[in-house]
Amino acid sequence: MILKCAIVDDEPLALTLIESYINKTPFLELCGKYNSAVAVVEDIKGKDIDLLFLDIQMPTLNGLELSEMLPRNLRIVFTTAFDQYAIDGFKANALDYLLKPICYNEFLKAAHKALEWFEMKYRTNTTDENDFIYVKSDYKLIQVKLDNILYIEGLKDYLKIYLEGETHPILTLNSMKSMEEHLPSPRFMRVHRSYIVQMNKIKTLDKGQIVFSKTRITISDSYKLEITAYLNKYIL
């Protein structure tokens, strides 16, 4: 598997160094390099990029802010000279965090971590038997079958996973962004900042709201076009 990469860093020396590391790593292919986060926002959307090596501290738009604007299938390895950003990088669901000055050994470890992530994702998407995810809850690892999920609710740093036939949801420490990336689309779609819904479980729509028993989930304006386009394929 070859991972297509891009670099974002406002320091010319750091940009050149990471470029040299990518060029000497057989499973990485450099497809773009940028000296500011602003330059990336529109350009990268039209490119098939798997992995982004992203500096955090940059003027105008920093790396953490940029990470919220990127396509959900794009994975990030943060690079920075300041270790206080490590927790923020974790919250942004980065694959790894490299502290400058970056040696090739540490870079290669992060690259292999990214390769393993993409290989696992590929196997999951191509194997029918793996129609499930594992989530951590109450110090346990719980297998959740995708077909049983009705919807997922985001509560700050936690998620509630509501299952068909179950009275109580599973509570897990995770982010909406991370969960959205691991669920197959368009089978699962974000309908609100705080909700992901399994589309084939929707039985009733009422005045812009998805109805699950006593729960009503409002489809927010930012997702209406995408949701409407999906639903229109099945309206007679």
Side-chain angles (χ1 to χ4, degrees):
M1 177 177 284
I2 301 296
L3 301 183
K4 296 183 178 180
C5 307
I7 314 166
V8 187
D9 202 310
D10 64 331
E11 299 176 19
L13 290 177
L15 198 66
T16 301
L17 179 66
I18 296 174
E19 179 181 6
S20 70
Y21 287 170
I22 290 174
N23 289 337
K24 69 192 288 187
T25 305
F27 57 86
L28 299 181
E29 177 186 344
L30 183 62
C31 297
K33 52 182 181 176
Y34 308 87
N35 59 14
S36 77
V38 176
V40 179
V41 177
E42 291 302 322
D43 187 63
I44 207 166
K45 290 180 181 178
K47 294 185 177 180
D48 186 20
I49 302 294
D50 299 308
L51 183 63
L52 187 65
F53 292 93
L54 177 59
D55 186 27
I56 291 181
Q57 194 170 48
M58 292 182 286
T60 309
L61 184 68
N62 67 43
L64 291 169
E65 292 167 336
L66 174 63
S67 69
E68 296 298 319
M69 306 176 185
L70 297 172
R72 67 174 190 166
N73 59 323
L74 178 61
R75 308 306 298 166
I76 296 171
V77 172
F78 279 119
T79 62
T80 182
F82 304 95
D83 58 5
Q84 71 264 29
Y85 290 117
I87 294 176
D88 292 329
F90 171 76
K91 289 182 178 178
N93 196 36
L95 278 179
D96 211 340
Y97 177 95
L98 294 173
L99 192 62
K100 297 177 180 179
I102 301 167
C103 66
Y104 182 63
N105 182 48
E106 293 301 317
F107 175 89
L108 190 59
K109 287 179 183 178
H112 272 290
K113 185 182 290 187
L115 181 64
E116 290 171 2
W117 189 92
F118 278 98
E119 287 178 338
M120 182 178 68
K121 181 182 178 183
Y122 176 79
R123 287 194 298 269
T124 300
N125 289 342
T126 54
T127 306
D128 292 335
E129 294 177 358
N130 292 344
D131 198 24
F132 57 82
I133 56 174
Y134 282 102
V135 297
K136 293 179 181 178
S137 181
D138 293 331
Y139 304 102
K140 296 179 291 187
L141 201 59
I142 299 175
Q143 184 192 91
V144 179
K145 291 185 177 180
L146 298 188
D147 193 52
N148 292 342
I149 298 174
L150 291 174
Y151 62 94
I152 298 163
E153 180 183 9
L155 300 168
K156 292 186 178 180
D157 296 328
Y158 289 85
L159 299 179
K160 284 184 175 181
I161 303 174
Y162 291 84
L163 303 177
E164 207 166 28
E166 298 289 339
T167 306
H168 301 291
I170 295 173
L171 185 66
T172 179
L173 178 62
N174 215 318
S175 69
M176 289 290 281
K177 184 176 180 180
S178 174
M179 182 60 70
E180 191 175 15
E181 288 169 349
H182 284 82
L183 294 174
S185 175
R187 179 177 173 182
F188 290 86
M189 297 182 72
R190 191 87 166 258
V191 300
H192 186 279
R193 182 179 180 182
S194 301
Y195 288 96
I196 297 171
V197 171
Q198 179 158 199
M199 300 303 289
N200 62 12
K201 299 294 184 180
I202 297 175
K203 306 299 182 185
T204 305
L205 278 165
D206 181 28
K207 298 176 182 177
Q209 293 183 320
I210 299 168
V211 182
F212 287 111
S213 186
K214 296 180 180 179
T215 301
R216 301 176 74 91
I217 300 172
T218 299
I219 301 173
S220 65
D221 291 340
S222 55
Y223 297 100
K224 274 184 180 177
L225 283 177
E226 186 178 4
I227 301 302
T228 301
Y230 176 88
L231 293 173
N232 281 342
K233 294 185 294 183
Y234 303 97
I235 295 175
L236 299 179

